[in-house]
Amino acid sequence: MSRFFADRALGMKASDIRELLELTQRPEIISLAGGLPNTNAFPVKEIAEICQDILKNDSHKALQYSATEGIRPLRMALLDYMKDQLGVGGEVDNLIVTTGSQQALSLISMAILNPGDLILTTAPSYVGGLGAFRSYQAEIDSVAQDNEGLVIGSLEDKLKELKLKGIKPKMIYVVPTFQNPAGVTMPEKRREEMLELAIDYDVLILEDDPYSRLRFEGEEVKPVKYFDYEGRVIFLGTMSKLLSPGLRVAWMHSPRDLSRKFAIAKQSADLCSTTFSQYIAYEFLNRGYLMPHIEKIKTMYKRKRDIMLAAMDKYFPEGLTWTYPQGGMFSWVTMPEHMDSKLILMRAIKEDNVAFVIGSAFYHDGSGKNHMRLNFSHSSDELLEEGIKRLGTTLKKEMEE
Ligand SMILES: Cc1ncc(COP(=O)(O)O)c(C=O)c1O
């Protein structure tokens, strides 16, 4: 049936690890693969209470269509939250509620990308971002990343090189805090320098921030958006990792002209995000439940991070290094150059019943084979330790051969 596909659909490829990851659903497999919150982190009691109240008092609104940009009380509450938590001000026109941040990535792509437009990102970068840009036929190029996120010298060199070739990238895409996949965070100085370069070369910045509130230790770092004095940063926030990904409530905070266009794009995508979920998120914020809840899950995730890192020290063979995330959900493992995480994953699933995500999924050009992403938020404490132990066994076998 491929003759019926649009040109852009030809560029949409199922990930070559999808089948492998399907195997990870088998009950005997311990999966360190998904980027999922822990199910014990869902505030079921509070959500049940809120749902009952909404159905009793507001069902006529909550079960109805709502404004494309989102219900106004939630937009106002999210603006307050951004001001309090991130130091970022704004007007209601700057903020649109989206159906997950993943929708924001698509809407931005829909509204600003022509086929062949260039996006710059880090290597590695969030796989869902790469997918959204690709599905709108963008070209993707990458700049280096180290333990402090995007390397400014590498970005500057890339921008200069492109300018000499007459190529102007449209946007720089970053996950600057507790990055998915590497868990690393850009210091403020780099954020400011990146913004200055974006201004010099007239490029937009897309700041994707699902994880910054999940900081277990270390100094707070201000978002790139905080430094955005002239309005070229689009900021994405989401309730997925703080409250529940099933609600699909997220938001984008953008300069007003862009915001207007994104709202038009959203109209054709889904008319509005689920009204009921928006009321739940609003009430969760309004009743003051969010911040205490975040404190609770931070305690849980810090413990899990510590369990995972200690187990890696104990069970992983010599010759591997990994990141030490101060928050978020992931650690990123680097193996010797010759090792191929796809082969290791196949072996880990078949022989040792454990799974992770291979490094190359996060590289636009399929490189990064000697890396793997490990998630510590989803598994129980016991399975987390056992999963790392099993993976250590696979890695030792692989290295001995
Ligand atoms: C960096 C990043 N951006 C966006 C998303 C998508 O989040 P949402 O559930 O809000 O669509 C994720 C989810 O893992 C993510 O890690």
Side-chain angles (χ1 to χ4, degrees):
M1 299 300 275
S2 60
R3 68 187 185 283
F4 292 114
F5 289 148
D7 292 347
R8 68 181 164 278
L10 300 175
M12 297 177 193
K13 291 201 185 80
S15 133
D16 62 352
I17 55 164
R18 183 177 293 223
E19 276 171 36
L20 279 178
L21 287 179
E22 255 162 40
L23 291 176
T24 67
Q25 306 300 322
R26 292 202 322 246
E28 64 274 26
I29 301 269
I30 298 177
S31 177
L32 308 173
L36 281 62
N38 194 281
T39 47
N40 291 326
F42 297 145
V44 179
K45 195 166 76 45
E46 290 85 344
I47 292 182
E49 165 205 304
I50 288 172
C51 285
Q52 278 187 344
D53 290 349
I54 293 173
L55 289 172
K56 203 160 118 211
N57 306 319
D58 287 315
S59 59
H60 60 293
K61 289 189 284 187
L63 297 176
Q64 191 54 281
Y65 290 112
S66 52
T68 302
E69 292 85 349
I71 60 166
R72 198 176 171 92
L74 178 61
R75 292 167 80 196
M76 300 306 290
L78 289 171
L79 281 173
D80 287 347
Y81 168 85
M82 286 204 62
K83 186 80 202 148
D84 292 349
Q85 289 297 311
L86 304 165
V88 174
E91 308 283 325
V92 72
D93 291 345
N94 298 116
L95 193 139
I96 296 178
V97 175
T98 57
T99 305
S101 283
Q102 195 61 41
Q103 182 186 46
L105 292 165
S106 285
L107 296 179
I108 295 164
S109 302
M110 191 194 288
I112 74 162
L113 293 178
N114 288 315
D117 275 355
L118 181 65
I119 303 278
L120 291 181
T121 189
T122 47
S125 184
Y126 170 55
V127 59
L130 300 178
F133 308 140
R134 273 197 206 107
S135 67
Y136 283 89
Q137 295 166 287
E139 297 290 330
I140 301 170
D141 202 351
S142 57
V143 301
Q145 170 164 291
D146 62 16
N147 278 343
E148 297 195 327
L150 180 144
V151 176
I152 296 299
S154 172
L155 175 63
E156 189 164 13
D157 290 348
K158 180 65 76 181
L159 288 166
K160 272 188 198 147
E161 175 197 319
L162 290 168
K163 190 169 181 182
L164 282 175
K165 290 186 191 155
I167 300 172
K168 192 165 179 285
K170 215 154 217 176
M171 193 163 74
I172 301 166
Y173 170 64
V174 281
V175 183
T177 313
F178 312 135
Q179 192 214 27
N180 181 358
V184 297
T185 295
M186 282 173 81
E188 283 178 12
K189 186 160 176 286
R190 284 200 188 184
R191 294 174 189 227
E192 289 184 86
E193 287 168 350
M194 176 177 71
L195 186 57
E196 288 309 318
L197 283 172
I199 292 168
D200 289 350
Y201 287 84
D202 190 26
V203 186
L204 288 171
I205 292 181
L206 175 52
E207 174 177 32
D208 188 0
D209 178 28
Y211 303 106
S212 72
R213 295 307 86 203
L214 297 177
R215 174 177 283 284
F216 318 140
E217 65 217 5
E219 293 250 323
E220 272 288 336
V221 180
K222 295 190 183 73
V224 183
K225 184 77 191 158
Y226 177 89
F227 302 102
D228 181 27
Y229 54 89
E230 51 141 59
R232 67 171 63 234
V233 177
I234 304 164
F235 176 95
L236 306 186
T238 177
M239 285 293 159
S240 286
K241 313 294 161 133
L242 306 178
L243 179 50
S244 143
L247 291 179
R248 310 307 296 133
V249 173
W251 68 97
M252 57 207 297
H253 186 305
S254 2
R256 193 167 306 191
D257 292 350
L258 290 177
S259 219
R260 231 173 263 137
K261 200 53 108 181
F262 296 152
I264 296 168
K266 184 169 163 64
Q267 260 168 28
S268 68
D270 67 354
L271 299 179
C272 65
S273 293
T274 311
T275 317
F276 198 74
S277 288
Q278 293 186 64
Y279 273 95
I280 295 173
Y282 165 65
E283 284 299 336
F284 207 81
L285 282 159
N286 184 41
R287 296 179 189 200
Y289 293 165
L290 186 64
M291 297 324 292
H293 179 66
I294 290 177
E295 285 309 312
K296 226 164 77 185
I297 61 177
K298 273 177 12 182
T299 308
M300 180 198 290
Y301 290 167
K302 178 181 187 303
R303 187 184 70 239
K304 290 183 180 297
R305 184 221 38 196
D306 291 343
I307 290 171
M308 187 167 91
L309 292 177
M312 287 159 89
D313 275 335
K314 191 164 157 195
Y315 297 115
F316 277 10
E318 290 280 310
L320 271 58
T321 56
W322 49 88
T323 57
Y324 187 94
Q326 293 190 318
M329 296 186 166
F330 308 105
S331 175
W332 181 244
V333 179
T334 303
M335 300 178 286
E337 283 285 336
H338 67 275
M339 290 179 76
D340 182 341
S341 60
K342 191 168 169 190
L343 298 178
I344 296 170
L345 177 61
M346 280 153 67
R347 186 167 198 174
I349 291 175
K350 278 198 196 120
E351 296 176 17
D352 299 305
N353 288 332
V354 60
F356 56 86
V357 184
I358 60 173
S360 55
F362 304 96
Y363 286 75
H364 76 93
D365 56 3
S367 60
K369 288 188 168 46
N370 62 322
H371 296 280
M372 47 188 181
R373 187 192 76 177
L374 302 181
N375 166 271
F376 56 80
S377 58
H378 182 60
S379 303
S380 69
D381 296 0
E382 297 70 32
L383 288 183
L384 194 51
E385 162 116 23
E386 174 62 22
I388 295 292
K389 187 175 171 190
R390 292 184 191 179
L391 186 52
T393 307
T394 318
L395 288 164
K396 278 180 197 146
K397 284 188 281 192
E398 196 71 21
M399 286 178 93
E400 274 157 21
E401 279 165 18

